[in-house]
Amino acid sequence: MKEKISNYNKYGLAAKEATLMGGNPVESWGIAVKDFESKSAKIKGCPKNAFLGLCEAGLVKGIKPVSYFKRKRENLNKKYAIKAVELLALDSNLSKNELWNKVREELSIGEKEHNSQMDVVLALWNERLIVR
């Protein structure tokens, strides 16, 4: 029986696939999530914005660091993802929950539940697709 992969894990795989496609990360993300069963999973902003934020910050190997966001206001998902990369650089053995708890603590986020930014960061980190 085939093991069902959660949407959160799929976001990590999508980030990896989009990175390996190269080119425009906005278009690559769209291609990477096109086969998701759930329409809402395809358009979910948190993982996409975390991925684009890392690209924009020059932290994803092979992706040109330019502006990928249409809106120019601060993007919190980008901020969370960048902080997660900084924390992994200090301790690459952090689990997803430990990483999210540290991000929340460092950025004074409070009790906000984990969402998909950490899946994106960890997938890219574990595949050595983050500029270190």
Side-chain angles (χ1 to χ4, degrees):
M1 188 169 128
K2 189 175 179 181
E3 183 180 337
K4 184 170 171 69
I5 299 174
S6 75
N7 280 338
Y8 287 122
N9 291 330
K10 287 179 184 177
Y11 294 129
L13 295 173
K16 174 185 164 189
E17 184 179 331
T19 300
L20 296 176
M21 276 187 250
N24 181 320
V26 176
E27 293 170 4
S28 297
W29 181 266
I31 293 168
V33 299
K34 75 175 173 43
D35 291 330
F36 281 17
E37 300 85 29
S38 163
K39 183 178 179 183
S40 64
K42 291 178 190 180
I43 61 172
K44 185 167 172 63
C46 297
K48 178 181 179 181
N49 290 337
F51 174 68
L52 294 178
L54 293 172
C55 293
E56 189 174 272
L59 292 171
V60 181
K61 288 182 180 178
I63 306 260
K64 187 176 179 181
V66 298
S67 178
Y68 294 107
F69 292 105
K70 291 179 182 175
R71 295 185 211 154
K72 295 302 172 195
R73 65 182 177 152
E74 178 184 42
N75 186 290
L76 293 177
N77 296 302
K78 173 183 176 180
K79 186 176 181 178
Y80 302 159
I82 290 170
K83 178 53 71 178
V85 168
E86 292 171 5
L87 291 166
L88 284 170
L90 299 173
D91 183 357
S92 62
N93 294 316
L94 293 170
S95 71
K96 180 169 57 173
N97 288 335
E98 292 169 330
L99 182 59
W100 179 239
N101 287 336
K102 286 189 175 284
V103 167
R104 284 180 34 228
E105 181 182 312
E106 294 239 350
L107 297 178
S108 301
I109 297 171
E111 293 301 314
K112 182 175 178 150
E113 291 184 25
H114 160 76
N115 57 33
S116 50
Q117 303 102 329
M118 299 305 105
D119 297 282
V120 168
V121 172
L122 285 168
L124 296 176
W125 181 270
N126 291 333
E127 293 295 323
R128 302 193 182 284
L129 295 170
I130 292 286
V131 175
R132 300 179 189 195

